[in-house]
């Protein structure tokens, strides 16, 4: 059969058949008297094999080697093809994600679209200083960037300054960010969880607080403590046990004490409840249920002064009789400054 008929039977263009011939990949078995290419059935079968291997993504040189080398083993080449396919799929997925981000931003024109793409690209590349500058330099323009995209960038950002800039940007464009940050709040990497919780705490609002309530028992102290302060500041009584533990452990204890006092003032918890929890936790740290270590008791005394009320004053009065002079003096000072609002 001549080249035109082979092209019709195989669906391969005449131009490509000539290219295959020049490579020695599929050459005609003979020539007509007039010098035209003449293909046999065996040539058609080889062409089918060529096209089958090409459909797997194999380059033409590899196809020729596979067909001509009887000792050729396909395993290694197939592994390479699988890996290159994975890379291509990952690249296509990333492109699709960026297109989705751009579409969700609803750009009003191509200049707007280009500006958003440039910002997202800058946020994800270059040095930390350049990424931070890219966010801050766009000012109010970041409001056009989807919050979900900013949240994704934040969760992956290890530079503290850039992360701070991204949290600032999220405050301007929070739409869609909560779901991404919620996923980050349960990530296996504690650093990612910390970034997620910090962003959620700054965003605030019922949805963010609901996510933070779910990580109050996180295995990472920074995560649960940041969550506790944010939930407590929002009036969540569920954060009280974690805040009490922060006072006892001396981790952000001043902030924890102030947050507990805020819960009491808001009526979310009573002073009696907080005083009892602090006293119980401090006693649990001592020997045989006795008074806890000096540093714990000092922090408890300071927290009592923040709480105010009769229950706090009674507890402070007891501590003024503590055998350790530092504890007793601290209790005396805090007793004088503790407000007595008449609450029990």
């Amino acid at each position: 059969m001549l080249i035109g008929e082979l092209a019709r039977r195989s669906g391969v263009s005449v131009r490509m058949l000539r290219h295959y011939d020049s490579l020695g990949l599929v050459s005609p078995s003979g020539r007509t008297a007039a010098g035209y290419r003449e293909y046999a059935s065996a040539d058609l079968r080889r062409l089918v094999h060529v096209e089958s291997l090409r459909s797997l993504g194999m380059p033409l040189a590899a196809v020729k080697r596979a067909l001509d080398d009887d000792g050729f083993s396909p395993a290694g080449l197939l592994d390479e093809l699988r890996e290159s396919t994975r890379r291509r799929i990952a690249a296509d997925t990333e492109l699709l994600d960026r297109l989705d981000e751009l579409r969700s931003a609803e750009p009003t024109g191509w200049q707007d679209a280009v500006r958003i793409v440039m910002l997202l690209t800058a946020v994800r590349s270059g040095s930390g200083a350049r990424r931070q500058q890219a966010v801050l330099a766009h000012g109010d323009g970041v409001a056009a960037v989807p919050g979900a995209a900013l949240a994704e960038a934040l969760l992956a950002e290890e530079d503290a300054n850039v992360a701070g800039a991204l949290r600032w940007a999220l405050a301007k464009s929070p739409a869609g960010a909560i779901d991404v940050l919620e996923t980050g709040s349960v990530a296996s990497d504690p650093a990612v969880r910390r970034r997620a919780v910090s962003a959620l705490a700054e965003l605030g609002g019922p949805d963010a607080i609901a996510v933070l309530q779910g990580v109050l028992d996180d295995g990472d102290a920074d995560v649960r403590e940041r969550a506790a302060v944010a939930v407590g500041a929002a009036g969540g009584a569920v954060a009280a046990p974690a805040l009490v533990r922060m006072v006892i452990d001396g981790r952000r204890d001043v902030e924890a004490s102030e947050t507990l006092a805020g819960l009491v003032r808001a009526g979310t918890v009573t002073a009696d409840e907080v005083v009892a929890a602090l006293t119980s936790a401090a006693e649990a740290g001592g020997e045989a249920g006795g008074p806890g270590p000096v540093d714990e008791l000092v922090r408890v005394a300071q927290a009592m002064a923040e709480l105010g009320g009769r229950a706090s004053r009674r507890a402070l009065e007891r501590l003024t009789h503590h055998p350790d002079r530092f504890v007793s003096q601290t209790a005396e000072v805090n007793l004088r400054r503790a407000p007595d609002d008449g609450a029990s």
Side-chain angles (χ1 to χ4, degrees), residues 264 269-278 307-312 314 343-344:
V264 171
V269 296
T270 67
D272 276 4
E273 290 171 333
V274 178
V275 169
L278 286 168
L307 294 172
R310 292 177 184 172
S312 295
R314 286 196 299 268
S344 62

Side-chain angles (χ1 to χ4, degrees), residues 115-157:
R115 180 171 57 82
I116 294 171
V117 170
M118 289 178 65
L119 174 57
L120 288 173
T121 301
V123 165
R124 292 163 174 160
S125 61
S127 67
R130 292 185 63 181
R131 295 197 304 279
Q132 181 184 19
Q133 184 180 14
V135 177
L136 299 178
H138 280 75
D140 292 336
V142 297
V145 180
L150 292 171
E152 290 283 4
L154 171 62
L155 293 180
E157 183 55 63

